[in-house]
Amino acid sequence: MASLNATPEYYAAEERYRQAKTPEDRMAALKQMLGLAPKHKGSQSILMEIKKKISSIREELVVEKKKKAGKKGGGDFIKKQGAAQIALIGFVNCGKTALLNKLCGMHHSSSDVAYETGIVSPGMLEFEKIQLQILDTPSIFEQNKNKLFGIARLADLVIIILDPFLDIMEQKKYFDELVAKKIFVVSKKGYLDVHGNDFQYDVNLESSITELKKMFVRHLDLIRVYTKNPRGETDYLKPFVMVKGSTVSDIAKQIHKEFYQNLKYARLWGSSKFKGQQVSGDFILKDEDVVELHMK
């Protein structure tokens, strides 16, 4: 492996890598090298080389783990829960697990050196009464690319976390074939500024994470609709979360097929011309509308 002008500790870790006899020992040495390597433009090729080696060993360890576990353990595809499913995708050490922890209030192991998520790990976040499922996925490499892209295509939205220490445009090119509904984000831990429509976040800054959550809802085109019964009681605790363009008939169908089949009209508060306006089933709902359904 090529070297660079680094600390003695780095070169000691590099020597441990050369002498390592097992995948676990090689992985440990590479993680130390990644943590100790200088982070600047001139070191990008070496950082990429280390990460590729980590990804290769990770694949080896995951295959061995699956052989030992047999049919036990987590699956690759996770059933959707909440209003939408969002997949976090990226290369090794890009910050997927740290972001999942911050979004969902979880405490999965994570550090500044390479942490390898072996299976798809789900979490739930609630933002403005909208529940979203977040999937932390294994670090992507050529051998598992098709599988992870398959998971991403099944998700409602994909968050591609770019590594700020690697070439941004090269990473984007790699992910070009992914589903259309995606957002490129990059953490502020690196030296590289990102321009254009990309979002640069700070995992330790609450306002930055809040803005990222708003971005999720905006790109998913979600609205919240509340229901009201004829006695005047409105449930503001658990809205129905719908896609923009949904109608009164759509919410009736979500509640129960009999409501949908026997809907006569609805009364509406919010986007209506006046409070309690009578509307038909094809009326298009807006965010935070209140609907009172009336049956035949």
Side-chain angles (χ1 to χ4, degrees), residues 90-285:
F91 295 113
V92 62
N93 197 37
C94 68
K96 298 185 301 295
T97 302
L99 184 56
L100 174 82
N101 287 341
K102 195 66 176 182
L103 289 170
C104 302
M106 302 175 75
H107 302 284
H108 288 184
S109 298
S110 181
S111 69
D112 290 334
V113 296
Y115 171 76
E116 303 264 274
T117 301
I119 60 174
V120 179
S121 179
M124 296 295 297
L125 79 82
E126 182 170 324
F127 179 68
E128 295 183 346
K129 301 179 182 177
I130 298 175
Q131 289 193 331
L132 301 172
Q133 184 185 54
I134 311 296
L135 302 183
D136 184 14
T137 64
S139 300
I140 196 166
F141 51 94
E142 281 304 314
Q143 288 81 358
N144 72 355
K145 177 181 176 181
N146 290 337
K147 180 182 291 186
L148 290 185
F149 276 22
I151 293 171
R153 292 188 183 102
L154 290 175
D156 300 293
L157 182 64
V158 181
I159 308 303
I160 300 171
I161 305 176
L162 305 175
D163 189 328
F165 298 120
L166 302 177
D167 187 279
I168 295 296
M169 296 310 298
E170 284 297 318
Q171 292 179 78
K172 285 187 172 184
K173 183 179 179 181
Y174 183 89
F175 289 108
D176 270 347
E177 65 186 82
L178 209 55
V179 290
K181 211 158 195 179
K182 60 182 179 287
I183 302 173
F184 287 109
V185 301
V186 63
S187 74
K188 288 187 175 180
K189 66 180 181 179
Y191 56 84
L192 185 64
D193 290 328
V194 179
H195 303 285
N197 296 321
D198 309 319
F199 182 75
Q200 195 170 21
Y201 69 91
D202 185 342
V203 75
N204 297 313
L205 190 62
E206 196 61 42
S207 60
S208 178
I209 297 300
T210 298
E211 189 60 34
L212 193 56
K213 293 176 182 179
K214 290 180 181 178
M215 188 181 296
F216 294 167
V217 175
R218 185 165 64 249
H219 278 73
L220 288 165
D221 291 330
L222 298 177
I223 62 172
R224 297 153 296 174
V225 180
Y226 302 94
T227 56
K228 176 180 177 297
N229 64 47
R231 295 189 298 273
E233 299 172 347
T234 302
D235 183 3
Y236 285 107
L237 296 178
K238 294 183 178 180
F240 286 86
V241 181
M242 321 280 290
V243 177
K244 284 183 180 179
S246 296
T247 65
V248 169
S249 292
D250 291 328
I251 194 170
K253 188 183 294 185
Q254 273 208 26
I255 295 172
H256 197 279
K257 65 178 182 179
E258 291 187 3
F259 279 79
Y260 171 70
Q261 294 169 348
N262 298 305
L263 179 66
K264 185 177 182 181
Y265 65 88
R267 294 194 181 279
L268 190 75
W269 288 258
S271 64
S272 56
K273 294 180 180 178
F274 54 87
K275 294 180 180 180
Q277 177 186 353
Q278 182 174 315
V279 297
S280 62
D282 60 0
F283 185 89
I284 297 176
L285 298 166

Side-chain angles (χ1 to χ4, degrees), residues 23-40:
E24 290 82 0
D25 289 343
R26 295 200 304 272
M27 176 71 80
L30 286 166
K31 287 181 179 181
Q32 288 181 325
M33 291 168 61
L34 191 61
L36 294 168
K39 308 299 192 297
H40 52 69

Side-chain angles (χ1 to χ4, degrees), residues 60-72:
E60 182 181 347
L61 291 173
V62 169
V63 170
E64 185 62 27
K65 183 177 179 181
K66 285 183 177 180
K67 286 181 180 178
K68 291 180 179 179
K71 295 183 179 180
K72 296 181 180 180

